[in-house]
Amino acid sequence: MNPLSREDFKLKDTKPQLGERWPHGVVRGSGWIGSERAASTYDLVEQMFYLYVRVVKAKDLPPSPVTGSCDPYAQVKLGNYKGKTRHYEKKTNPEFNQVFAFSKDKIQSSVLEVYVKDREMVGRDDYIGKVTFDMHEVPTRVPPDSPLAPQWYRLEHRHGDRKVKGQIMLAVWVGTQADEAFPEAWHTDAASVDGEGVYSIRSKVYVSPKLWYLRVNVIEAQDLESLDKNQLPQAFVKAHVGNQVLKTKLCPTKTTNPTWNEDLLFVVAEPFEEHLEITVENKATSAKHETMGKKILQLTDFERRLDHRPVHSKWYNLERFGFGVLEGDKRHERKFSTRIHLRVCLEGAYHVLDESTLYISDVRPTARQLWKQPIGILEVGILSAQGLSPMKSKDGKTTTDAYCVAKYGQKWVRTRTIMESSNPKWNEQYTWEVYDPCTVITLGVFDNCHLGGSEKPLSGGGAKNDSRIGKVRIRLSTLETDKIYTHSYPLLVLGSSEVKKMGELQLAFRFTCLSLAHMIYLYAHPLLPKMHYLHPFTVNQLDSLRYQAMRIVGVRLGRAEPPLRSEVVEYMLDVDSHMWSMRKSKANFFRIVSLFSGAIAMSKWLGDVRYWKNPVTTILVHVLYFILICYPELILPTIFLYMFLIGIWNYRFRQRHPPHMDTKLSWAEVVNRDELDEEFDTFPTSKAQDVVRMRYDRLRSLAGRIQTVIGDMATQGERLLALLSWRDPRATALFVVFCLIAAVGLYVTPFRIIAMVAGLFLLRHPRFRSKLPSVPINFFRRLPSRADGML
């Protein structure tokens, strides 16, 4: 890979014209405000002007002399652009309630025309009347002004020489993308889209469903009865919630009163659409299980637990179905005294993980009453994209219909789709509340393949899914507060042959702090709610629960209008991040190796001192060594003072922009095609021979866990280096101040007292210990790592 292409993979600074700037230099009364106006909102995007036309309704329209009825619709025409409303059958007083937006940059006419026509099944539509507007007389609406009131206009004849019967209610004004009519308006950018495809091009805000963990503690059962009266049952319990199925272990003994005391965990979403189905089964033979009873329970009936206190258990009578004595009898219910003892609750004190903890965007518990006040505001302006690769063919030519999706916390946003452009301009701004600075916002760019046309993806895939163009992650803790960042991010996608740059995404964003004291307070507290530490889940449980949560989010967002499709949700939530990859393992290995570069450099320096390579340095080291030997109480203050000075010195070398995906760090520049073929291989593998497939899958599963462990080790080491690197300015500032205070405190306090207190603290009785992580551990876990730059 040549140096020029490697530079293309790096983040670039941009200088867009942000903020609201209203045109000046035009005579007042011509429809434009004659001076610049400071912006209070939408100040992170380039301002785009639109001519808005709101068609409200019409009345007293004349019926057709031929059919005796009227099927009216309105058509808005500005130069070469035409937009029309839906039509109404046999209605002389239709209500349209539609808004049309014409980009000012594409206006080629000085006259706006609004036609009312009568739709005909055969032949040309009949002309009813029109209203014309001089573009120089159109008023400008400046937010936060109230919406412009629509007015009734008499319809004119086609030639404008007389009035005709009928009136239409319209509102016409000039505004920007900050106007509340903008998201629902018909745009000239999508003039070629009609039918159901119109809904898939609009910008929308989505909210993730409220997720709960459902804990089902299966305690015991009583009076189980097997179909074989001569044999005691060996039972287990199976629980269903939607498509999630979990089983308890098999009771080790054959008994009519088995005991399990096992927890089964599910993910459920509000509003609750599924139910909990409990089935008690008997293992009659190794290949046959018989149902001894079942019970269906509604999720709304369960207690919502907000802390670690146990909930009340309850006995439930099981329903059993059997056969009558006669062979021809129908299936009927048989009552008997079998029952099961359960403790079921909805866990509200956990955060339901639907994304990787490395790139987590929300750490709040499920229960709203446990939420804290927000500590900041994140504002993101999605400006534009440059040089997007063509993603599909349409009518014999390659094209891209791009839109951008941003996800932070429970709020997802989707920009409008810009049709047939490799350099789309969105200029849309969105705002999120921030509850923890150590979180990540993810933005992805996709190609819209659901426009109802004859598009064919260039990748050759048969499924018509929205194609991924690239993704950007931004960690909030690496941002300085109240600073506007404007960067162009390369959109990188790793394919089965190489890493490709699919274009660039231009963003502007700002993190505003509402409470600095609260933000500093968070650095000393656990990242996740305390229930994750008091009653933690196993690694296998977390993997399974995260997959189920992601699947539920994808299904629910896919029901919205327009839908946010499952392929988009999965890409944004990194659904395949746990899969084995030789490339990722290499990258994590070399991350660990790079951590030891400092120790290697120190050993070389000590070797130079020993061999008197620099006599002045060696003499100074000897002097320092003798001072520390004579005054051992100076050792710790010297170390902390040295780290304080290093932290201050490194401030000038701090990163000026947030980190981005690094192809070199990800080991994507030198990976060979065979390893990429392995990475993009199906799971289970599609390679030949059953035995090789089984062993290969087992190896990949084991290697995936090793890869995760190595990555975690690298993350911890990089967090240690982040203490003094100013990647997280607030964390480094806190640590530097602590080092200064510690240096002074250790200087004035006798070393023996410090050693005694530290020893007693480390050897303290378990009664005086907390299950929650300590303040230093919480602070350390919140530090950023280079994982943010992993591709």
Side-chain angles (χ1 to χ4, degrees), residues 523-647:
Y523 273 93
H525 285 72
L527 181 66
L528 295 172
K530 63 180 181 181
M531 281 292 288
H532 286 268
Y533 307 99
L534 297 177
H535 296 281
F537 299 124
T538 65
V539 174
N540 288 336
Q541 283 177 325
L542 283 177
D543 287 343
S544 174
L545 292 172
R546 184 194 164 210
Y547 174 78
Q548 294 298 338
M550 183 220 63
R551 186 179 180 280
I552 291 174
V553 171
V555 170
R556 292 291 179 93
L557 294 181
R559 292 191 207 158
E561 187 59 48
L564 197 62
R565 302 187 181 274
S566 59
E567 64 268 20
V568 175
V569 175
E570 291 178 0
Y571 183 57
M572 297 291 287
L573 295 180
D574 294 297
V575 62
D576 56 353
S577 61
H578 65 288
M579 295 298 292
W580 158 257
S581 164
M582 181 68 76
R583 176 189 60 84
K584 290 182 181 178
S585 297
K586 282 185 178 181
N588 288 331
F589 173 76
F590 284 102
R591 285 170 63 195
I592 293 177
V593 170
S594 66
L595 295 177
F596 294 101
S597 59
I600 295 173
M602 177 62 72
S603 64
K604 288 184 62 178
W605 180 78
L606 290 176
D608 293 342
V609 169
R610 288 177 58 203
Y611 288 97
W612 291 77
K613 292 288 184 68
N614 190 332
V616 176
T617 302
T618 304
I619 292 174
L620 291 176
V621 169
H622 277 79
V623 172
L624 178 61
Y625 177 75
F626 285 123
I627 291 175
L628 296 180
I629 289 296
C630 297
Y631 303 97
E633 63 273 12
L634 296 180
I635 294 177
L636 288 178
T638 302
I639 292 175
F640 280 103
L641 185 60
Y642 179 66
M643 287 192 292
F644 167 76
L645 295 175
I646 291 177

Side-chain angles (χ1 to χ4, degrees), residues 26-39:
V26 182
V27 179
R28 282 185 180 273
S30 63
W32 300 100
I33 294 179
S35 63
E36 291 195 0
R37 182 177 184 272

Side-chain angles (χ1 to χ4, degrees), residues 468-481:
R468 57 184 70 172
I469 298 179
K471 183 164 53 180
V472 173
R473 301 189 195 102
I474 301 171
R475 182 173 293 273
L476 271 59
S477 63
T478 61
L479 306 179
E480 298 180 17
T481 55

Side-chain angles (χ1 to χ4, degrees), residues 2-21:
N2 57 62
L4 180 61
S5 60
R6 185 174 297 171
E7 286 295 323
D8 289 342
F9 289 158
K10 293 184 178 180
L11 183 147
K12 302 174 183 176
D13 289 322
T14 59
K15 295 182 180 179
Q17 297 293 322
L18 303 182
E20 293 187 358
R21 292 176 173 83

Side-chain angles (χ1 to χ4, degrees), residues 256-271:
T256 58
N257 300 314
T259 300
W260 297 280
N261 196 25
E262 278 190 51
D263 278 347
L264 305 178
L265 287 165
F266 303 88
V267 179
V268 294
E270 284 188 310

Side-chain angles (χ1 to χ4, degrees), residues 206 231 235 362 395 436 554 567 589:
Y206 305 83
Q231 188 175 8
D362 188 14
D395 299 328
D436 195 300
E567 64 268 20
F589 173 76

